[in-house]
Amino acid sequence: IQPVSMDAAAPMDALWPTAAPLSMAPNVPVAETPSNTAFPRFALSPWGSFARSIHSPAPAQLADQVDRLGGLNEWIGTAGVRLEYAFTPRLAVITGLQYSNKGRLQGTIRSSPEVNTDYAVSGSYLEVPLSMKYEFPQAGKTFYVRSGVLVQFNARAGSDRVVMHDHGLKEMSTLALSSSSVGVALDLGAGVRFRLGRGIGLFIEPSYQYALSPVVKNPAFDRLPYNPRIHSFGLCTGLTFQFGSR
């Protein structure tokens, strides 16, 4: 074995070659799918409510004409099913079907010695909600607001009627409210939904509705002594079943 010559003039790099410099290129993270892009698209909510119905104008303005007029300003109830479709995790559209009792209008108003009008209106409606909903998610619960309209149809077609008697002219005019008589009401609400389990929640919601059309929606009967609009304040609760995540 021959010894290696240690020439003092030889550069140190020749004896111990240096390693290649490390690359300083930045690490590119692997693209990940955000978890919030997957959310339930549909929700089905059976619900019910209690509300206070108020007729406007108030019947007190006709106190000197009222013979018998009952059923006004009652506690009422509504039950139905909502169907929601979510465009984003926060924004959804609501529709569905519900049955509502807005407070009956029953009795007689005597507007003159010769003219009196008999009311037999149940205040029962089939309603289709059309509204938008915006949510504010929190840990374990979700706050939300919604606004829209209710399309209202008379639920007791034929049995709801108004009869006007003119004893001076010996005439009697009868108007039977049909199911095709359509009204519209503003529908506002705000509430909170609590998560009970995967895809299941319980919601509580105060709401307000104001009719944009009067109880009797017939321009031919424009001589009615009393044709109020109904507005109501309510508190509803129900279950929400979410599905269709994508």
Side-chain angles (χ1 to χ4, degrees), residues 128-197:
V128 178
L130 298 170
S131 60
M132 299 297 297
K133 177 182 180 182
Y134 192 81
E135 298 188 341
F136 305 89
Q138 302 291 331
K141 57 184 175 294
T142 300
F143 296 93
Y144 65 88
V145 294
R146 63 173 185 83
S147 64
V149 297
L150 291 174
V151 182
Q152 301 173 321
F153 303 88
N154 289 317
R156 298 184 62 182
S159 60
D160 287 348
R161 61 184 62 241
V162 178
V163 182
M164 181 176 288
H165 304 268
D166 191 327
H167 303 284
L169 298 177
K170 301 186 183 303
E171 293 180 350
M172 183 180 70
S173 303
T174 302
L175 174 64
L177 307 184
S178 67
S179 59
S180 60
S181 178
V182 179
V184 178
L186 290 177
D187 184 25
L188 307 175
V192 58
R193 183 177 71 245
F194 300 95
R195 182 177 179 182
L196 301 180

Side-chain angles (χ1 to χ4, degrees), residues 3-242:
V4 179
S5 176
M6 299 295 292
D7 188 355
M12 296 299 291
D13 291 347
L15 297 177
W16 292 285
T18 58
L22 297 176
S23 173
M24 300 300 292
N27 294 327
V28 179
V30 178
E32 297 181 358
T33 302
S35 60
N36 61 357
T37 58
F39 59 93
R41 290 285 183 174
F42 295 94
L44 190 66
S45 302
W47 63 280
S49 75
F50 291 99
R52 176 69 170 175
S53 172
I54 301 174
H55 290 66
S56 179
Q61 300 179 17
L62 304 170
D64 57 340
Q65 302 175 11
V66 173
D67 186 3
R68 299 180 309 277
L69 193 61
L72 300 177
N73 303 336
E74 296 179 321
W75 286 99
I76 62 173
T78 301
V81 176
R82 292 177 184 170
L83 178 63
E84 299 181 24
Y85 176 79
F87 299 104
T88 72
R90 291 177 178 265
L91 184 64
V93 63
I94 300 176
T95 187
L97 183 65
Q98 59 198 52
Y99 178 87
S100 179
N101 175 18
K102 298 293 186 183
R104 59 193 174 91
L105 179 61
Q106 187 170 5
T108 300
I109 292 181
R110 190 174 303 278
S111 51
S112 73
E114 293 81 18
V115 178
N116 65 279
T117 306
D118 299 326
Y119 293 84
V121 180
S122 66
S124 299
Y125 296 92
L126 289 175
E127 300 175 326
V128 178
L130 298 170
S131 60
M132 299 297 297
K133 177 182 180 182
Y134 192 81
E135 298 188 341
F136 305 89
Q138 302 291 331
K141 57 184 175 294
T142 300
F143 296 93
Y144 65 88
V145 294
R146 63 173 185 83
S147 64
V149 297
L150 291 174
V151 182
Q152 301 173 321
F153 303 88
N154 289 317
R156 298 184 62 182
S159 60
D160 287 348
R161 61 184 62 241
V162 178
V163 182
M164 181 176 288
H165 304 268
D166 191 327
H167 303 284
L169 298 177
K170 301 186 183 303
E171 293 180 350
M172 183 180 70
S173 303
T174 302
L175 174 64
L177 307 184
S178 67
S179 59
S180 60
S181 178
V182 179
V184 178
L186 290 177
D187 184 25
L188 307 175
V192 58
R193 183 177 71 245
F194 300 95
R195 182 177 179 182
L196 301 180
R198 184 177 178 86
I200 303 177
L202 170 70
F203 70 91
I204 300 174
E205 176 192 294
S207 63
Y208 172 73
Q209 293 82 37
Y210 179 76
L212 301 178
S213 51
V215 171
V216 179
K217 297 169 281 291
N218 191 319
F221 250 59
D222 57 356
R223 296 186 298 119
L224 289 178
Y226 186 57
N227 194 10
R229 300 171 190 261
I230 302 175
H231 60 104
S232 57
F233 300 87
L235 180 66
C236 69
T237 184
L239 294 174
T240 297
F241 301 93
Q242 296 176 313

